[in-house]
């Protein structure tokens, strides 16, 4: 199990606390420092069953600068979104937990973190 975190994020810290309390075996990836490649983002999206715009933090300053809210959300623009997430990792929703069964969840709630633990 791997968890992508931003240490400054309270949701990330809560997820780590819960994983520790449950004795989970996991690896921490500080994705702002160890930035995922477009290929890694594509694989995580596949595991999540989501599209890149589903995990984009559109309220971030860089999102507003790029105008991502106005970008089309379709197959023709999918790669553009993925490239933006890799080029500007602050845009990636957090924390993302890859589960043992090959799936992943966005662990913003205790329920989602527990879901990842149960897989």
């Amino acid at each position: 199990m791997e968890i992508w975190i931003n240490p400054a994020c309270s949701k990330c810290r809560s997820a780590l606390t819960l994983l520790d309390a449950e004795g989970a075996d996991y690896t921490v990836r500080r994705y702002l420092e160890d930035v995922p490649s477009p290929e890694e983002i594509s694989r995580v999206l596949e595991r999540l069953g989501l599209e890149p715009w589903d995990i984009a933090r559109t309220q971030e300053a860089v999102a507003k600068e790029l105008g991502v809210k106005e970008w089309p959300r379709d197959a023709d623009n999918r790669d553009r979104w993925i490239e933006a997430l890799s080029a500007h990792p602050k845009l990636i929703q957090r924390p993302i937990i890859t589960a043992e069964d090959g799936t992943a969840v966005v662990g913003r709630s205790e329920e989602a973190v527990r879901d990842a633990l149960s897989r």
Side-chain angles (χ1 to χ4, degrees), residues 13-26 110 113-114 117:
R13 291 191 308 270
S14 294
L16 291 173
T17 298
L18 180 55
L19 291 173
D20 288 341
E22 295 295 325
D25 183 23
Y26 64 91
E110 180 178 332
V113 176
R114 289 193 183 283
L117 283 166

Side-chain angles (χ1 to χ4, degrees), residues 3-76:
I3 181 170
W4 292 7
I5 68 156
N6 172 352
C9 168
S10 64
K11 300 280 186 192
C12 293
R13 291 191 308 270
S14 294
L16 291 173
T17 298
L18 180 55
L19 291 173
D20 288 341
E22 295 295 325
D25 183 23
Y26 64 91
T27 302
V28 170
R29 180 171 186 170
R30 294 178 178 215
Y31 71 94
L32 296 178
E33 299 162 17
D34 182 9
V35 178
S37 68
E39 295 78 20
E40 289 174 301
I41 292 170
S42 291
R43 285 194 302 271
V44 163
L45 287 167
E46 187 175 316
R47 292 176 80 166
L48 287 165
L50 297 173
E51 293 295 339
W53 45 84
D54 295 327
I55 65 163
R57 297 174 56 86
T58 59
Q59 296 303 314
E60 290 289 331
V62 69
K64 292 176 182 177
E65 288 172 25
L66 294 171
V68 297
K69 276 192 167 183
E70 310 307 317
W71 292 3
R73 297 175 181 215
D74 58 24
D76 290 340

Side-chain angles (χ1 to χ4, degrees), residues 58-97:
T58 59
Q59 296 303 314
E60 290 289 331
V62 69
K64 292 176 182 177
E65 288 172 25
L66 294 171
V68 297
K69 276 192 167 183
E70 310 307 317
W71 292 3
R73 297 175 181 215
D74 58 24
D76 290 340
N77 286 278
R78 189 173 197 273
D79 288 344
R80 178 184 187 190
W81 282 85
I82 291 170
E83 290 290 335
L85 292 172
S86 183
H88 307 280
K90 279 191 171 187
L91 294 177
I92 300 172
Q93 191 61 260
R94 60 189 184 251
I96 293 177
I97 304 169

